[in-house]
Amino acid sequence: MQAPSPDLVTRSLSAVWHPCTQMKHHERIPLLPIARARGAYLYDAAGRRYLDGISSWWVNLFGHAHPDINAAVADQLGTLAHVMLAGCTHEPAVMLAERLSALTGGTLGHAFFASDGASAVEIALKMSFHFWRNHGHAAKRDFVCIDNGYHGETLGALAVTDVALFRDAYGPLLRHAHRVPSPDARLAAPGESAADVAARALAEVARLFEARATHIAAIIVEPLVQCAGGMAMHDPSYLRGLRELCDRHGVHLVADEIAVGFGRTGTFFAHEQAGIRPDFLCLSKGISGGYLPLSVVLSTDAIHDAFYADEIARGFLHSHSYTGNPLACRAALATLDLFVRTDAIARNRVRFDALERALGNLASHPDVAHLRRRGAILAFDVAERGRPGQGGFAQRYARHALAAGALLRPIGRTVYLMPPYILDDEQIVQLASATIAALEKTLSE
Ligand SMILES: *Cc1c(COP(=O)(O)O)cnc(C)c1O
């Protein structure tokens, strides 16, 4: 293979505007040129390897260059790379819709495809509003979101997002949304349980719905883990409570499982742990195994039927050019096959127990708080006591993690591990050691 151009980084910084990045910071923070990837590892231009501890932004499930997914996509390439999904259909989209529906016990049987997570959120919000309008309740046009929640960067999704850094600059462009308290278990007062925090948070939702439900279309929630908000975890009773309140007040429940779906929380879908079903389920990220952009909104018969009519304007006239792309759908089907073939959900229980154990007594480290885990997501907060003015924790930690051979990207002072579902015993130890080594290095600067 030809060696990568030595000045790839320089060329990238001049030609590529990188996402979620203040470009000037790359004057001091090196950009990592990745030449190839296989299994759990990314390889840089110099051939150094990094264990992908965050699944390349939470998308990769079964490792890079997986032979099964490669073969499925290659096969599809020779058959049908793309065709529009308006007026046409194809086997991969139909099969994927059927299999996702089956995974919801047939309760969410209508799949509306898009390409990115944020577009799925836009679709769910528009569909909810339009559902109520088609039923003669056009006043139901408000959305409710949760403190510290994240739903994507487009204007509609950002309007229901509560991460100040992403949102504040665009405040004047965003439609108002109601915000209710987060059920984040870390907010527990002494003697309070995670369920108590959830009950307190639910009381606020109840108050809002009682006052305002005739104007509220939907509430949007990240079930069990608010990921971008710092891996904030909550008790499943919160979701049960939301379901009850939504039923009582005629409000849609939108479950944004873009990050937490596909086994991340220990069940295939996170909402299963609460024994409920949402009205809308948004999926993306892991759906294609980390191969191709694909998202989908699953909804109920009741939602779908509200649009089914002779008048075109009662229909849902939303679209994206690459909606239901066959290559992406084939990657998704191969990914679903891997869940079955590798018994991933059950095997992950053992694998992530081992990862937690490999972190040893990290929980009792004087600078570590709230070591927590939900399924395949592990996180802890770092205090950096005695060095309050240090700043830039996430960037410093990430640099030390790379030096220790792992790609990790803390969110603020929260370090988290969300690796693909393929780590063997040796890789588990390697990831845990890199996590601890990077912490010690960062704290001793
Ligand atoms: C990543 C994410 C999104 C946005 O998905 P994109 O593909 O980045 O647009 C929405 N919601 C949640 C919970 C996410 O984690």
Side-chain angles (χ1 to χ4, degrees):
M1 228 175 33
Q2 199 187 328
S5 163
D7 63 349
L8 189 66
V9 165
T10 314
R11 282 165 51 212
S12 189
L13 292 175
S14 87
V16 179
W17 198 333
H18 290 267
C20 200
T21 298
Q22 167 50 268
M23 292 294 287
K24 191 166 197 293
H25 288 177
H26 276 307
E27 288 177 7
R28 44 188 179 81
I29 302 164
L31 188 62
L32 184 63
I34 296 300
R36 62 190 185 88
R38 178 165 292 271
Y41 295 103
L42 303 162
Y43 295 84
D44 72 11
R48 275 181 50 99
R49 68 174 195 184
Y50 307 94
L51 201 151
D52 190 350
I54 54 169
S55 297
S56 289
W57 251 355
W58 323 343
V59 300
N60 193 289
L61 297 187
F62 292 100
H64 297 271
H66 194 287
D68 293 14
I69 308 179
N70 285 6
V73 173
D75 177 63
Q76 189 60 39
L77 261 178
T79 313
L80 173 69
H82 187 68
V83 66
M84 63 197 287
L85 202 59
C88 303
T89 194
H90 53 78
E91 186 80 26
V94 175
M95 276 187 60
L96 182 56
E98 288 172 348
R99 286 183 67 176
L100 291 173
S101 166
L103 284 162
T104 69
T107 57
L108 297 162
H110 304 276
F112 197 101
F113 288 105
S115 318
D116 289 286
S119 354
V121 170
E122 302 283 341
I123 287 162
L125 299 180
K126 282 177 68 179
M127 259 187 194
S128 172
F129 164 74
H130 199 166
F131 168 95
W132 294 116
R133 203 173 92 107
N134 280 350
H135 274 298
H137 299 292
K140 284 170 86 70
R141 62 178 68 157
D142 289 3
F143 298 114
V144 183
C145 60
I146 294 165
D147 283 351
N148 199 37
Y150 178 87
H151 301 287
E153 306 290 341
T154 55
L155 292 176
L158 203 53
V160 290
T161 285
D162 180 40
V163 178
L165 185 62
F166 300 148
R167 186 194 149 98
D168 283 1
Y170 311 101
L173 302 182
L174 303 177
R175 195 165 169 277
H176 171 264
H178 303 282
R179 257 179 37 206
V180 290
S182 170
D184 182 352
R186 290 173 300 176
L187 301 172
E192 254 191 340
S193 68
D196 294 334
V197 181
R200 256 199 291 125
L202 284 168
E204 292 299 315
V205 180
R207 232 189 304 279
L208 174 65
F209 281 10
E210 274 152 30
R212 190 77 197 166
T214 52
H215 290 84
I216 295 173
I219 182 167
I220 184 163
V221 61
E222 291 163 88
L224 298 186
V225 188
Q226 294 182 299
C227 294
M231 302 300 160
M233 302 184 182
H234 60 253
D235 193 77
S237 61
Y238 182 70
L239 302 171
R240 267 193 302 281
L242 278 190
R243 182 67 274 176
E244 281 166 25
L245 288 169
C246 285
D247 288 343
R248 191 176 323 148
H249 292 278
V251 170
H252 288 142
L253 180 60
V254 179
D256 176 351
E257 296 217 13
I258 289 166
V260 296
F262 294 90
R264 286 290 183 201
T265 66
T267 45
F268 193 82
F269 295 124
H271 66 259
E272 290 168 23
Q273 291 180 46
I276 58 138
R277 295 290 182 197
D279 300 292
F280 297 93
L281 178 60
C282 301
L283 302 171
S284 188
K285 291 206 165 102
I287 190 171
S288 69
Y291 269 61
L292 288 155
L294 180 67
S295 65
V296 65
V297 179
L298 302 181
S299 59
T300 60
D301 289 345
I303 303 288
H304 177 262
D305 294 351
F307 293 79
Y308 199 80
D310 289 321
E311 308 95 283
I312 185 167
R314 283 180 73 95
F316 192 62
L317 305 185
H318 185 106
S319 68
H320 297 284
S321 307
Y322 283 96
T323 288
N325 173 261
L327 296 170
C329 289
R330 277 300 293 278
L333 288 166
T335 300
L336 290 180
D337 287 342
L338 281 168
F339 273 96
V340 179
R341 194 168 71 64
T342 68
D343 198 12
I345 301 281
R347 291 278 302 280
N348 270 355
R349 246 170 255 143
V350 179
R351 180 175 286 120
F352 286 89
D353 279 352
L355 180 58
E356 193 172 353
R357 270 198 311 277
L359 290 173
N361 56 1
L362 187 63
S364 56
H365 189 293
D367 280 295
V368 169
H370 302 294
L371 179 66
R372 55 195 180 275
R373 179 180 148 217
R374 176 74 71 181
I377 306 173
L378 224 147
F380 59 89
D381 305 335
V382 180
E384 284 210 280
R385 281 188 293 188
R387 291 176 298 280
Q390 189 81 343
F393 171 82
Q395 292 169 350
R396 290 186 291 120
Y397 184 95
R399 185 161 43 80
H400 291 303
L402 279 182
L407 178 68
L408 294 172
R409 239 179 101 103
I411 300 168
R413 289 170 177 276
T414 298
V415 176
Y416 71 91
L417 307 179
M418 211 199 271
Y421 306 160
I422 53 162
L423 300 195
D424 61 23
D425 292 346
E426 196 183 316
Q427 292 165 333
I428 285 168
V429 169
Q430 194 197 337
L431 179 58
S433 311
T435 303
I436 293 164
L439 181 67
E440 294 307 343
K441 277 270 201 292
T442 312
L443 292 176
S444 64
E445 275 177 330

